[in-house]
Each structure stands twice: as C-alpha cells, then as structure tokens.
Amino acid sequence: MTEPMNQQIRLRATPEGIPTADHFVLAESAITPPADGEIVCRNLYLSLDPYMRSQIAGRHISGSIAPGDVLRGETIGEVVESRHPDFKPGDHVLVPGGWQTYSTVAPVTDPMRPDGTRKLDPRIKPPSLALGILGMPGLTAYAGLKHLGEPKEGDVVVVSAASGAVGSMVGQYAKSLGCTVIGIAGSADKCKWLTETAGFDGCINYKEESVADGVDRLCPKGVDIYFDNVGGETLDAVAWRLAIGARIILCGLISQVNSGAPIVGPSPGAIIKARANMRGLVVYDFWDQMDDMIDTFVPLIEAGKMHFLEDVSNGIEAAPDAFARLMNGKNFGKTIIKLT
C-alpha cells in the first residue's frame, strides 16, 4: 500500500504588495517519522490570519518566512503516531502545524507558551472554533477589551474590521457587558450581519461613507473605546472623535500590512485633546487567560448571545487563494482551510 505523502505550501517569492496565489507553491515530501518526544499529526484544519503577512515581510514578533519555507500557522490535528508520553494516537490537538497536511513536532506542553501543543477542549464545538473565536482571535478580543479597554456599562465602543474573527468578538463581548457597539466594515452584507445577527447597534460601511461621517452620525457624544484592527486613516478619523478619557487598543495594521510605506496618524493632538489612553496589544502577553476566555465565551455562544462566521475553503491547495482573499479584505468571517 502506498504511504501517504505530506503536501505543503511553501513561499515561492516575497510579495511587495498584496499577495497573490502565484507567490506560493504546492510541494510534496515524505512524512517525517517521529523521534523520541515527538508526535506526528494529520492536520484537519488550518488557520489563516493577517499576522502571517507580517511574517512574510519579516516584520512580525514571531519570526519571518523566507522563499522556500513552509508557511507557519496553527492547526487542529489528529495524532497518528506518538513517541511522547502525554499524547496518543487519536488525540485531537492544537499544534503549530503550518501550511501542510502532516506535521511532526516536539510538543511544547507549557500552557503559557503560544507555540505550545494542547489537547482540544471538548467544549469547543465545532472544533474549528478553536482556531477562531475560541482560540487566538477570541483571546485577542477578550484580553484586549477587558484589560486594555477596561469597559464599563454604557461605554460607546467602536471596532474596525468588525466582521472578522477578532472584531466580531470584541463587539459581541462588549454588548454582553452593556456597551453600545458600532462596527466598521467594508460591505453592506457585512454590516447587515453585524447589526441583524451579531447585535451591533450600528455599522459604518466605509465603502459608502467616510469613517469620520459615520462616527459623527452614530456616536454624537464621542467614542469611549476604540478597538483598532486597521490603523492608518481609519485610526486617525476615530481618534479625533474620542470622548474625554477614551481608551484606544492598537491591535492590527491591516491598512499597512501589504506595504512598507509609513501610514497616516493618529495625530498626537487628538490623543491629548481627549486625554486618551492608547495601548498596544500583543495577545501573547495574555496567553495564560485562554481558559478564562473559553469559560466566558462558551456560555454566551450556547445561550445564543454570541454568533460566528467561518470562511472555509477545502484542501491545502486552496490556502494561497484564501490568503490572497483575506489580504484583499474579501473574506467574510474567520478564514479556515479544511484539510481533510
């Protein structure tokens, strides 16, 4: 019987602007057998995330990706072979498996390590949520809003890239805490989902009106918390419309991630005028709160008070096109590749 092969997506060339599928190549190799202390996983789901563009550009805190390298990323896998005492065949695990159908890793079992391997929490259903709203994106929303935003009932919260895995959870978590929530998104369909399903109080479609006009219309008394996933002109526009004592959480730079050019704003004058607090968010600083996030979000999901969208593509060969869509803002929900 023919042994299965490991299919991988490697970086063909470093893109200078928005990536296309041509920047990647599908390769095939033998599955690496495990050494002592290692496991082999058949990867079931792969998470695609905006931070990967910064890895490709060599600007991310987690390291860089060079031409010829297999792209890195978090996967849900099934252990098929183990030489590690804590894992056995059949276990379903979260593992840094990368853009490939099989991965051979030496598990890091420290729960405080973002590059760790851990068994899938049985409460997470469907399991793909462990890569989205009950995984790193969910933790980003939970920790950023709770600890950096310090929300209180009645606060006006604005979140950009609001239909994504992070933004949608920021808004819904804020609603559960009694806040008024306004999203910023790039299509009528996204705004409709946010207001009619996710429960946002309003949404600004930046393709149809300026962010400045939208914030003036929907937040006449100013913005208490701005959760920024975009940067650039959007950040600058909201910064001039902050309420006194506002908090800004800097989470993402989607407006800059495909370009090395400097971005606009925000002006220090806007921050001074509002006596605002602006803080940068690195989710790795809060990795020890993953269980707290799951404990908080699972009951809300089960009660129908939190909703999610997944943008799922099938097969490892679909990953380059799906990533290009993500970088163009054409995804709708958490971008996931179903590998089997």
Coordinates of all heavy atoms in Angstrom, one line a residue, residues 279-338:
R279 N -2.9 52.0 23.9 CA -2.1 50.9 24.3 C -2.0 49.9 23.2 O -3.0 49.7 22.5 CB -2.6 50.3 25.6 CG -2.6 51.3 26.8 CD -3.3 50.6 28.0 NE -2.4 49.6 28.6 CZ -2.7 48.9 29.6 NH1 -3.9 49.0 30.2 NH2 -1.9 48.0 30.1
G280 N -0.8 49.4 23.0 CA -0.6 48.3 22.0 C -0.9 46.9 22.6 O -0.7 46.7 23.8
L281 N -1.5 46.1 21.8 CA -2.0 44.8 22.2 C -1.1 43.7 21.5 O -1.1 43.6 20.3 CB -3.5 44.6 21.9 CG -4.0 43.1 22.1 CD1 -3.9 42.7 23.5 CD2 -5.5 43.1 21.6
V282 N -0.5 42.8 22.3 CA 0.2 41.6 21.8 C -0.5 40.5 22.6 O -0.3 40.3 23.8 CB 1.7 41.7 22.1 CG1 2.3 40.3 21.7 CG2 2.3 42.8 21.3
V283 N -1.2 39.6 21.9 CA -2.0 38.6 22.5 C -1.1 37.6 23.3 O -1.6 37.0 24.3 CB -2.9 37.9 21.5 CG1 -2.0 37.0 20.6 CG2 -3.9 37.0 22.2
Y284 N 0.1 37.4 22.9 CA 1.0 36.5 23.6 C 1.1 36.9 25.1 O 1.4 36.0 26.0 CB 2.3 36.4 23.0 CG 2.3 36.1 21.5 CD1 3.2 36.7 20.6 CD2 1.4 35.2 21.0 CE1 3.2 36.4 19.3 CE2 1.4 34.9 19.6 CZ 2.3 35.5 18.8 OH 2.3 35.2 17.5
D285 N 1.0 38.2 25.4 CA 1.1 38.6 26.8 C 0.0 38.1 27.7 O 0.1 38.1 29.0 CB 1.1 40.1 26.9 CG 2.3 40.8 26.2 OD1 3.3 40.1 26.0 OD2 2.2 42.0 25.9
F286 N -1.1 37.6 27.1 CA -2.3 37.1 27.9 C -2.6 35.7 27.6 O -3.7 35.2 27.9 CB -3.5 38.0 27.5 CG -3.3 39.5 27.7 CD1 -2.9 40.3 26.7 CD2 -3.6 40.0 29.0 CE1 -2.7 41.7 26.9 CE2 -3.4 41.4 29.2 CZ -3.0 42.2 28.2
W287 N -1.6 34.9 27.2 CA -1.8 33.5 26.8 C -2.3 32.7 28.0 O -3.1 31.7 27.8 CB -0.6 32.9 26.3 CG -0.9 31.8 25.2 CD1 -0.8 30.5 25.4 CD2 -1.4 32.0 23.9 NE1 -1.1 29.8 24.2 CE2 -1.5 30.8 23.3 CE3 -1.7 33.2 23.2 CZ2 -2.0 30.6 22.0 CZ3 -2.2 33.0 21.9 CH2 -2.3 31.7 21.3
D288 N -2.0 33.1 29.2 CA -2.4 32.3 30.4 C -3.9 32.5 30.7 O -4.5 31.8 31.6 CB -1.6 32.8 31.7 CG -1.8 34.3 32.0 OD1 -2.2 35.0 31.1 OD2 -1.6 34.6 33.2
Q289 N -4.6 33.4 29.9 CA -6.0 33.6 30.1 C -6.9 32.9 29.1 O -8.1 33.2 29.0 CB -6.3 35.1 30.1 CG -5.6 35.8 31.2 CD -6.1 37.3 31.3 OE1 -7.2 37.6 31.1 NE2 -5.1 38.1 31.7
M290 N -6.3 31.9 28.3 CA -7.1 31.2 27.3 C -8.3 30.5 28.0 O -9.4 30.6 27.4 CB -6.2 30.2 26.6 CG -6.9 29.5 25.5 SD -7.2 30.5 24.0 CE -5.6 30.7 23.3
D291 N -8.1 29.8 29.1 CA -9.2 29.1 29.7 C -10.2 30.1 30.2 O -11.5 29.8 30.2 CB -8.7 28.3 30.9 CG -7.9 27.0 30.4 OD1 -8.1 26.6 29.2 OD2 -7.1 26.5 31.2
D292 N -9.8 31.3 30.7 CA -10.8 32.3 31.2 C -11.7 32.7 30.0 O -12.9 32.9 30.2 CB -10.1 33.5 31.8 CG -9.4 33.1 33.1 OD1 -9.7 32.1 33.7 OD2 -8.4 33.9 33.5
M293 N -11.0 32.9 28.9 CA -11.8 33.3 27.7 C -12.8 32.3 27.3 O -14.0 32.6 27.1 CB -10.8 33.6 26.5 CG -11.5 34.0 25.2 SD -12.0 32.6 24.2 CE -10.4 32.0 23.7
I294 N -12.4 31.0 27.3 CA -13.3 30.0 26.9 C -14.4 29.9 27.9 O -15.6 29.7 27.5 CB -12.5 28.6 26.8 CG1 -11.6 28.7 25.6 CG2 -13.5 27.4 26.6 CD1 -10.6 27.5 25.5
D295 N -14.1 30.0 29.2 CA -15.1 29.9 30.2 C -16.2 31.1 30.1 O -17.3 30.9 30.4 CB -14.5 30.0 31.6 CG -13.7 28.8 32.0 OD1 -13.9 27.7 31.4 OD2 -12.9 28.9 32.9
T296 N -15.7 32.2 29.6 CA -16.6 33.4 29.4 C -17.4 33.3 28.1 O -18.6 33.5 28.1 CB -15.8 34.7 29.4 OG1 -15.0 34.8 30.6 CG2 -16.7 35.9 29.2
F297 N -16.8 32.8 27.1 CA -17.5 32.9 25.8 C -18.4 31.7 25.5 O -19.4 31.8 24.8 CB -16.4 33.0 24.6 CG -15.8 34.4 24.5 CD1 -16.2 35.4 25.3 CD2 -14.8 34.6 23.5 CE1 -15.6 36.7 25.2 CE2 -14.3 35.9 23.4 CZ -14.7 36.9 24.2
V298 N -18.0 30.5 26.0 CA -18.8 29.3 25.7 C -20.3 29.5 26.1 O -21.2 29.2 25.4 CB -18.2 28.0 26.2 CG1 -19.2 26.9 26.3 CG2 -17.0 27.6 25.4
P299 N -20.5 29.9 27.4 CA -21.9 30.1 27.8 C -22.6 31.1 27.0 O -23.8 31.0 26.7 CB -21.8 30.6 29.3 CG -20.5 30.1 29.7 CD -19.6 30.1 28.5
L300 N -22.0 32.2 26.5 CA -22.6 33.2 25.7 C -23.0 32.6 24.3 O -24.0 32.8 23.7 CB -21.7 34.4 25.5 CG -21.5 35.2 26.7 CD1 -20.4 36.3 26.5 CD2 -22.7 35.9 27.2
I301 N -22.1 31.7 23.8 CA -22.4 31.1 22.5 C -23.6 30.1 22.7 O -24.5 30.1 21.8 CB -21.1 30.3 22.0 CG1 -20.0 31.3 21.6 CG2 -21.5 29.5 20.7 CD1 -18.7 30.7 21.3
E302 N -23.5 29.3 23.7 CA -24.6 28.3 23.9 C -25.9 29.0 24.2 O -27.0 28.4 23.9 CB -24.2 27.4 25.1 CG -23.0 26.5 24.8 CD -22.6 25.7 26.0 OE1 -23.0 26.0 27.1 OE2 -21.9 24.7 25.8
A303 N -25.9 30.2 24.8 CA -27.2 31.0 25.0 C -27.6 31.7 23.8 O -28.7 32.4 23.9 CB -26.9 31.9 26.2
G304 N -26.9 31.7 22.7 CA -27.3 32.4 21.5 C -27.0 33.9 21.6 O -27.5 34.6 20.8
K305 N -26.1 34.3 22.5 CA -25.7 35.7 22.6 C -24.4 36.0 21.9 O -24.0 37.2 21.9 CB -25.6 36.0 24.1 CG -27.0 35.9 24.8 CD -26.9 36.3 26.3 CE -28.2 36.2 27.0 NZ -28.1 36.5 28.4
M306 N -23.8 35.0 21.3 CA -22.6 35.2 20.5 C -22.7 34.4 19.3 O -23.0 33.2 19.3 CB -21.3 34.8 21.3 CG -20.6 36.0 22.0 SD -19.0 35.5 22.7 CE -18.5 37.1 23.3
H307 N -22.4 35.0 18.1 CA -22.5 34.4 16.9 C -21.2 34.4 16.1 O -20.3 35.3 16.4 CB -23.6 35.0 16.0 CG -24.9 35.1 16.7 ND1 -25.9 34.0 16.6 CD2 -25.5 36.0 17.6 CE1 -26.9 34.3 17.3 NE2 -26.7 35.5 17.9
F308 N -21.0 33.5 15.2 CA -19.7 33.5 14.5 C -19.9 33.2 13.0 O -21.0 32.6 12.6 CB -18.8 32.5 15.1 CG -19.3 31.0 15.0 CD1 -19.0 30.2 14.0 CD2 -20.1 30.5 16.1 CE1 -19.5 28.9 13.9 CE2 -20.6 29.2 16.0 CZ -20.3 28.4 14.9
L309 N -19.0 33.6 12.2 CA -18.9 33.3 10.8 C -17.6 32.6 10.5 O -16.5 33.1 11.0 CB -19.1 34.5 9.9 CG -20.5 35.1 9.7 CD1 -20.4 36.4 9.0 CD2 -21.3 34.1 8.9
E310 N -17.6 31.6 9.7 CA -16.3 31.0 9.2 C -16.3 31.0 7.7 O -17.2 30.7 7.0 CB -16.2 29.5 9.7 CG -16.1 29.4 11.2 CD -15.9 28.0 11.7 OE1 -16.6 27.1 11.1 OE2 -15.1 27.8 12.6
D311 N -15.2 31.5 7.1 CA -14.9 31.5 5.7 C -14.0 30.3 5.4 O -12.8 30.3 5.5 CB -14.2 32.8 5.3 CG -14.2 33.0 3.8 OD1 -14.0 32.0 3.1 OD2 -14.2 34.2 3.4
V312 N -14.7 29.2 5.0 CA -14.0 27.9 4.9 C -13.7 27.5 3.5 O -14.6 27.6 2.6 CB -14.8 26.8 5.6 CG1 -14.1 25.4 5.5 CG2 -15.1 27.1 7.0
S313 N -12.4 27.1 3.2 CA -12.0 26.6 1.9 C -11.5 25.2 2.1 O -11.0 24.8 3.2 CB -10.9 27.4 1.3 OG -11.4 28.8 1.1
N314 N -11.7 24.3 1.1 CA -11.4 22.9 1.2 C -10.1 22.6 0.5 O -9.9 22.9 -0.7 CB -12.5 22.1 0.6 CG -13.8 22.2 1.5 OD1 -13.7 21.9 2.7 ND2 -14.9 22.5 0.9
G315 N -9.2 21.9 1.2 CA -7.9 21.4 0.6 C -6.8 22.3 0.8 O -6.9 23.5 0.7
I316 N -5.6 21.8 1.0 CA -4.4 22.6 1.2 C -4.1 23.4 0.0 O -3.6 24.5 0.1 CB -3.2 21.7 1.6 CG1 -2.0 22.5 2.0 CG2 -2.8 20.7 0.4 CD1 -2.1 23.2 3.3
E317 N -4.4 22.9 -1.2 CA -4.2 23.7 -2.4 C -5.0 25.0 -2.5 O -4.7 25.9 -3.2 CB -4.4 22.8 -3.6 CG -5.9 22.5 -3.8 CD -6.4 21.3 -3.0 OE1 -5.5 20.7 -2.2 OE2 -7.5 20.9 -3.2
A318 N -6.0 25.1 -1.6 CA -6.9 26.3 -1.6 C -6.3 27.4 -0.7 O -6.8 28.6 -0.8 CB -8.3 26.0 -1.1
A319 N -5.3 27.1 0.0 CA -4.7 28.1 1.0 C -4.2 29.4 0.4 O -4.5 30.5 0.8 CB -3.7 27.4 1.9
P320 N -3.4 29.3 -0.7 CA -2.9 30.6 -1.3 C -4.0 31.5 -1.8 O -4.0 32.7 -1.5 CB -2.1 30.1 -2.5 CG -1.6 28.7 -2.1 CD -2.8 28.1 -1.4
D321 N -5.1 31.0 -2.5 CA -6.2 31.9 -2.9 C -6.9 32.4 -1.7 O -7.3 33.6 -1.7 CB -7.1 31.1 -3.8 CG -6.7 31.0 -5.2 OD1 -6.1 32.0 -5.7 OD2 -6.9 30.0 -5.9
A322 N -7.1 31.6 -0.7 CA -7.9 32.0 0.5 C -7.1 33.1 1.2 O -7.7 34.1 1.7 CB -8.1 30.9 1.5
F323 N -5.8 33.0 1.3 CA -4.9 34.0 2.0 C -5.0 35.3 1.2 O -5.0 36.4 1.7 CB -3.5 33.5 2.1 CG -2.6 34.4 2.9 CD1 -2.9 34.6 4.3 CD2 -1.6 35.1 2.3 CE1 -2.1 35.5 5.0 CE2 -0.8 35.9 3.1 CZ -1.0 36.1 4.4
A324 N -4.9 35.2 -0.2 CA -5.0 36.4 -1.0 C -6.3 37.1 -0.8 O -6.4 38.4 -0.7 CB -4.8 36.0 -2.5
R325 N -7.4 36.4 -0.7 CA -8.7 37.0 -0.4 C -8.7 37.7 0.9 O -9.2 38.8 1.1 CB -9.8 35.9 -0.4 CG -10.2 35.4 -1.8 CD -11.6 34.8 -1.8 NE -11.9 33.9 -0.6 CZ -11.5 32.7 -0.5 NH1 -10.9 32.1 -1.5 NH2 -11.8 32.0 0.6
L326 N -8.1 37.1 1.9 CA -8.0 37.7 3.3 C -7.3 39.0 3.2 O -7.7 40.0 3.8 CB -7.3 36.7 4.2 CG -7.0 37.2 5.6 CD1 -8.3 37.5 6.4 CD2 -6.2 36.1 6.4
M327 N -6.2 39.0 2.5 CA -5.4 40.2 2.4 C -6.0 41.3 1.6 O -5.7 42.5 1.6 CB -4.0 39.9 1.8 CG -3.1 39.1 2.8 SD -2.6 40.0 4.3 CE -3.9 39.4 5.4
N328 N -7.0 40.9 0.7 CA -7.8 41.9 0.0 C -9.0 42.3 0.7 O -9.8 43.1 0.2 CB -8.1 41.3 -1.4 CG -7.1 41.5 -2.4 OD1 -6.9 42.6 -2.9 ND2 -6.3 40.4 -2.7
G329 N -9.3 41.8 1.9 CA -10.5 42.1 2.6 C -11.7 41.5 2.1 O -12.9 41.9 2.4
K330 N -11.6 40.4 1.3 CA -12.7 39.8 0.7 C -13.2 38.5 1.4 O -14.2 37.9 1.0 CB -12.4 39.3 -0.8 CG -12.1 40.5 -1.7 CD -11.8 40.1 -3.1 CE -11.6 41.3 -4.0 NZ -11.2 40.9 -5.4
N331 N -12.6 38.2 2.6 CA -13.1 37.2 3.4 C -14.3 37.7 4.2 O -14.5 38.9 4.3 CB -12.0 36.7 4.4 CG -11.7 37.8 5.4 OD1 -11.3 38.9 5.0 ND2 -11.8 37.5 6.7
F332 N -15.1 36.7 4.6 CA -16.3 37.1 5.4 C -16.3 36.1 6.6 O -16.8 35.0 6.5 CB -17.6 36.9 4.6 CG -18.8 37.6 5.2 CD1 -20.0 37.7 4.4 CD2 -18.8 38.1 6.5 CE1 -21.1 38.4 5.0 CE2 -19.9 38.8 7.0 CZ -21.1 38.9 6.3
G333 N -15.7 36.5 7.7 CA -15.6 35.7 8.9 C -14.2 35.1 9.0 O -13.3 35.5 8.3
K334 N -14.0 34.2 9.9 CA -12.7 33.6 10.2 C -12.2 32.7 9.0 O -13.0 31.9 8.6 CB -12.7 32.8 11.5 CG -11.5 32.0 11.8 CD -10.3 32.9 12.2 CE -9.1 32.1 12.4 NZ -8.2 32.2 11.3
T335 N -11.0 33.0 8.5 CA -10.6 32.2 7.4 C -9.9 30.9 7.8 O -8.9 30.9 8.6 CB -9.5 33.1 6.6 OG1 -10.2 34.3 6.2 CG2 -9.1 32.3 5.3
I336 N -10.5 29.8 7.3 CA -10.1 28.5 7.7 C -9.9 27.6 6.5 O -10.8 27.7 5.6 CB -11.0 27.9 8.8 CG1 -10.9 28.6 10.1 CG2 -10.8 26.4 9.0 CD1 -11.9 28.1 11.1
I337 N -8.9 26.8 6.5 CA -8.8 25.7 5.5 C -9.1 24.4 6.1 O -8.5 24.0 7.1 CB -7.3 25.7 4.9 CG1 -6.9 27.1 4.4 CG2 -7.3 24.7 3.7 CD1 -7.8 27.7 3.3
K338 N -10.1 23.7 5.5 CA -10.4 22.4 5.9 C -9.5 21.4 5.1 O -9.7 21.4 3.9 CB -11.9 22.1 5.7 CG -12.3 20.7 6.3 CD -13.8 20.5 6.1 CE -14.3 19.2 6.7 NZ -15.7 18.9 6.5

